[in-house]
Amino acid sequence: MSMTNADERESNDSIGFIDPVGMRANKATRMAGTTRILCFCFFLFVAHSAGAEEERLYPFWLDQGGGFINERGEVVIEPQFDGFDGFFVGDMAAVKVGEKWGLVDRQGKLRLKPQFDRIYESSGIWVVGNKTGTGIDGYQYGIVNTRGVVIAKPQYNVQPSGLGINGMAKIPVERKSETPTIRGVTRWVEFGLLDKNGLILLKPEYNGIATIGSHGCTRVCKDEGAGEKCGFIDAQGKWSITPRFDKIYPHPVQDSFTAVIQNNKTGFVDLQTCKILYEPQWRNYNEYNYSGDLPGFTIMQGDQSGFLSDGGKFLVQPRFRKVRRSTEGLFAAILGDDNLWGFINDKGETVIAAQFDEVSFFENGIARARVKGKWGYIDKQGKWLIAPRFFKVNRFDGTGLAAAAIESNAWDLWGVIDSSGEWVIEPRFGEVGRFSKSNGMARASVWSGKNMWSGRWLYGFIDRKGEWVKNMKWHYSLSDFNACNLAIAADLDYNRIEFLDAKGNTVHRRNFSDLEFDDYCVAWAKNNPEKYATGTVDPKILALLKKDYKFSNIYEDIGVALFFNKAGSKGFFDHSDGFVDLNGNIVLEPKYRIESNTFKFDSKYFWLYPPDYTNSSKDGNRAGMVVFNKEEMTVIPLYDTHFYFYDNGFAVVKKNDKYGVINSKGETIIPPRFDDISYHSVKHAGLMLVMQKDYNGFKHQFFMDTHGVLRFHTEQVGDRYVLKNANGDILWPKPPASTHP
């Protein structure tokens, strides 16, 4: 895996830069990105019509006021406004005339007369406010629809919000009471609902209104005496289910249905139709119960159990006493009143008749089953592969052997059987583990005393004949060999951890600590089958152990493991993280705190923080990223604040109080040299807008395309400011028409 530091990709000679006072621009040969918007409250949006995408309009500011320009450099709305609050949302943008705010359309016509002290867009509505000295923040708020019509004058002490569906608006009304409510409060907010014309759909008497999923089905809850009751309204704001549920789960299942609770019974609602899918009638619903190799939900109806698939359909109707997870296409189920287990398929049809006292899941076509206190093994037709004659059994491992036990007076005695059920090692041990494929050894235990009242268990290794390995050292406890051909043991004094190689020899000791090495070793073995087969331990893995590294997560899809070293002198949060590949090579030295990952743009991203990072530390906001893309790893060094990649692959970054833009590969598109930037212009990446103050305090604007190439900019010419294109031609003010014939 190759590694690139994003700093190495930046070459100042190849990046065009606009002088902040308005000097000529160098030709930009490389820049791409995103930018933030003017400090006069620009939050760039992309406008969409009901069908095709609307032409993007960008605000610009000159000394005679502000206007809008398109991507071709044509001034669409002449400079005339005293301020902006956002770009066009749909057909309108918020503009300021004097001290008041209104709305202008794409033709430059005022659709809403400037009359309000505040305005902003919220999920399909415009929220307007006037400063009255009342209300939670000193403002009272009203609502304007997408046609620019005031549908609710400023009257609400709390800010309303759009529902994001058909122009509906959620209206808040503050309530007070001298005596505490059932929730123990004397002041609260209740919500109602207006349609796009200002008609009341719901009176403000509900304590919660929230859309679930993407189909417009909306949860509405109301306090009713002893508790809260919830129901649903549809995308037109009409009741589809009146409030009667005690709880509605807020997270939809694959955007198709959700669970509701009524009188301790669970049902389901179809979010596409906003109608009842199944009336509340079951218990033991678990929202995240993905069962076995088939995702879905086990539910209980009385004493009957069934299985609901993630599409909202029953694969197994609730008519069985119990249903367990499905493996290899079969569900274990109690089929009758005699509490005997059998197996059913995903149609609820009996495949193996109920006849067992207990069963396990199927693995490689074999399941364990118990009858009359004895365990054996069955196939997927329910036939005995090994008759039930053992007191306990384990599953077969990859060597074709399984540990089994017989009952004795003192304790169970364990031995090993083959696939025919014959003893290959007679039962004489207190415990027998899994045999390693590479060295043929398994852990086992034996009692050291002459009777059960004196002595203790000692652990060591046996071979496939059941003989103790020669020159073996006894241990207090012992693990199976992992995929790295290492076993972990505790010494007899139980104060040291030992790592044992494939021959049982100690290769490393250290004091007790939490160890999570198995996952990494499984991934390592998949990547190194020859080393695994020979039973050798990679020296690089031993080197990692000796550095006291702990592995926390394995990412087989990108071929690395995240590890961290032991905590430093400042405690738990004082540690450094790094990455190692599946061959034991360190690909990122542990010098960062690495947290959370996400998958985007066919790459995996991880946050980087300073090693002593805590939420309260002075460096708490500093962050970088490490990006894994195919066979390449790129480290994006620490910037002053968090940054996020938009769907177009650009992110705004800040360094030394200056803003810039990078792409998803960590390459610098616009170097962090500007005083301000439009985040939303970067997010929608038509033209990106960055700003820089001159000595007069005027904030110059530079419009750059997604390659960082300058398209337009403002510049001072004499005693006025003008808008120019990259060739230096003045776009505004328009030059006077020629008077020559």
Side-chain angles (χ1 to χ4, degrees), residues 10 137 274 356-357 415 453 457 476 545 595 630 686 692 737:
E10 179 177 344
D137 60 357
C274 215
F356 310 108
D357 298 326
W453 295 280
W457 290 106
Y476 182 87
L545 289 174
E595 294 185 5
K630 296 181 180 179
Q692 188 87 325

Side-chain angles (χ1 to χ4, degrees), residues 342-553:
F343 288 87
I344 58 177
N345 60 22
D346 58 9
K347 297 179 181 179
E349 300 168 340
T350 299
V351 176
I352 301 175
Q355 55 190 294
F356 310 108
D357 298 326
E358 184 60 89
V359 294
S360 73
F361 55 86
F362 274 96
E363 186 176 19
N364 298 320
I366 300 175
R368 289 162 283 165
R370 188 186 72 194
V371 293
K372 297 180 180 181
K374 299 295 183 180
W375 284 90
Y377 297 84
I378 61 173
D379 63 16
K380 296 179 79 170
Q381 285 72 46
K383 296 179 180 179
W384 289 107
L385 296 173
I386 299 176
R389 57 189 179 90
F390 305 103
F391 184 63
K392 293 180 181 178
V393 292
N394 288 342
R395 60 190 178 89
F396 278 92
D397 60 24
T399 66
L401 301 176
I406 61 172
E407 193 173 15
S408 69
N409 293 330
W411 43 69
D412 308 336
L413 293 178
W414 286 83
V416 178
I417 60 175
D418 60 19
S419 58
S420 66
E422 298 298 323
W423 291 109
V424 294
I425 298 176
E426 293 294 327
R428 59 180 183 271
F429 302 102
E431 185 179 350
V432 177
R434 300 191 312 270
F435 280 96
S436 168
K437 288 182 180 180
S438 59
N439 62 21
M441 294 160 55
R443 64 183 172 88
S445 63
V446 64
W447 187 253
S448 65
K450 294 182 179 180
N451 55 55
M452 61 184 300
W453 295 280
S454 64
R456 63 176 176 175
W457 290 106
L458 298 176
Y459 283 83
F461 292 109
I462 60 174
D463 60 23
R464 293 181 187 274
K465 295 180 180 180
E467 303 294 332
W468 294 108
V469 174
K470 293 181 179 180
N471 302 320
M472 182 195 63
K473 179 181 177 181
W474 293 105
H475 302 279
Y476 182 87
S477 64
L478 189 62
S479 74
D480 291 321
F481 282 98
N482 64 19
C484 290
N485 295 305
L486 290 169
I488 302 172
D491 62 16
L492 289 178
D493 295 327
Y494 202 62
N495 60 11
R496 296 277 287 179
I497 284 288
E498 296 182 349
F499 286 86
L500 311 178
D501 65 15
K503 296 180 180 180
N505 299 321
T506 300
V507 292
H508 180 58
R509 292 185 179 92
R510 67 175 170 200
N511 293 328
F512 272 100
S513 62
D514 48 344
L515 299 167
E516 297 178 8
F517 210 63
D518 281 349
D519 286 343
Y520 172 72
C521 287
V522 169
W524 173 87
K526 290 179 180 179
N527 209 47
N528 299 272
E530 294 181 0
K531 291 180 180 178
Y532 168 62
T534 58
T536 58
V537 180
D538 195 314
K540 297 172 183 174
I541 293 176
L542 295 180
L544 296 177
L545 289 174
K546 293 177 181 179
K547 291 183 178 180
D548 281 351
Y549 289 155
K550 176 185 175 183
F551 291 88
S552 57
N553 287 294

Side-chain angles (χ1 to χ4, degrees), residues 289-302:
N289 182 20
Y290 282 87
S291 179
D293 56 9
L294 184 66
F297 309 97
T298 300
I299 55 90
M300 298 290 294
Q301 183 178 23

Side-chain angles (χ1 to χ4, degrees), residues 195-452:
D195 72 4
K196 61 184 178 182
N197 298 313
L199 297 177
I200 296 177
L201 297 173
L202 295 177
K203 294 181 180 180
E205 55 188 20
Y206 300 92
N207 56 299
I209 300 176
T211 300
I212 300 179
S214 63
H215 305 288
C217 194
T218 299
R219 176 184 61 172
V220 180
C221 298
K222 181 180 181 180
D223 278 329
E224 293 185 358
E228 183 180 73
K229 296 296 181 183
C230 301
F232 288 92
I233 59 172
D234 60 21
Q236 285 69 47
K238 297 180 180 180
W239 284 109
S240 58
I241 305 173
T242 55
R244 60 186 175 98
F245 303 121
D246 303 314
K247 181 179 180 180
I248 296 175
Y249 282 84
H251 306 295
V253 180
Q254 293 189 341
D255 201 29
S256 62
F257 70 103
T258 194
V260 294
I261 307 294
Q262 185 176 358
N263 298 327
N264 294 321
K265 300 293 184 181
T266 300
F268 297 93
V269 170
D270 187 333
L271 296 177
Q272 299 184 55
T273 62
C274 215
K275 300 291 185 181
I276 282 285
L277 185 62
Y278 297 104
E279 285 286 349
Q281 55 191 296
W282 303 298
R283 60 184 175 89
N284 290 4
Y285 168 78
N286 187 329
E287 186 178 6
Y288 302 107
N289 182 20
Y290 282 87
S291 179
D293 56 9
L294 184 66
F297 309 97
T298 300
I299 55 90
M300 298 290 294
Q301 183 178 23
D303 292 332
Q304 304 299 305
S305 179
F307 189 80
L308 188 72
S309 76
D310 57 6
K313 298 178 181 179
F314 273 104
L315 293 183
V316 179
Q317 292 292 332
R319 57 187 180 88
F320 303 100
R321 293 291 298 276
K322 286 185 180 179
V323 175
R324 286 182 183 162
R325 65 174 181 160
S326 73
T327 56
E328 300 185 0
L330 294 178
F331 297 85
I334 293 179
L335 305 181
D337 296 332
D338 50 8
N339 287 326
L340 294 179
W341 288 87
F343 288 87
I344 58 177
N345 60 22
D346 58 9
K347 297 179 181 179
E349 300 168 340
T350 299
V351 176
I352 301 175
Q355 55 190 294
F356 310 108
D357 298 326
E358 184 60 89
V359 294
S360 73
F361 55 86
F362 274 96
E363 186 176 19
N364 298 320
I366 300 175
R368 289 162 283 165
R370 188 186 72 194
V371 293
K372 297 180 180 181
K374 299 295 183 180
W375 284 90
Y377 297 84
I378 61 173
D379 63 16
K380 296 179 79 170
Q381 285 72 46
K383 296 179 180 179
W384 289 107
L385 296 173
I386 299 176
R389 57 189 179 90
F390 305 103
F391 184 63
K392 293 180 181 178
V393 292
N394 288 342
R395 60 190 178 89
F396 278 92
D397 60 24
T399 66
L401 301 176
I406 61 172
E407 193 173 15
S408 69
N409 293 330
W411 43 69
D412 308 336
L413 293 178
W414 286 83
V416 178
I417 60 175
D418 60 19
S419 58
S420 66
E422 298 298 323
W423 291 109
V424 294
I425 298 176
E426 293 294 327
R428 59 180 183 271
F429 302 102
E431 185 179 350
V432 177
R434 300 191 312 270
F435 280 96
S436 168
K437 288 182 180 180
S438 59
N439 62 21
M441 294 160 55
R443 64 183 172 88
S445 63
V446 64
W447 187 253
S448 65
K450 294 182 179 180
N451 55 55
M452 61 184 300

Side-chain angles (χ1 to χ4, degrees), residues 93-111:
V95 293
K96 189 177 184 182
V97 177
E99 297 299 322
K100 298 296 182 180
W101 290 89
L103 294 171
V104 66
D105 64 18
R106 291 176 171 274
Q107 289 70 46
K109 179 181 178 181
L110 285 172
R111 298 278 291 274

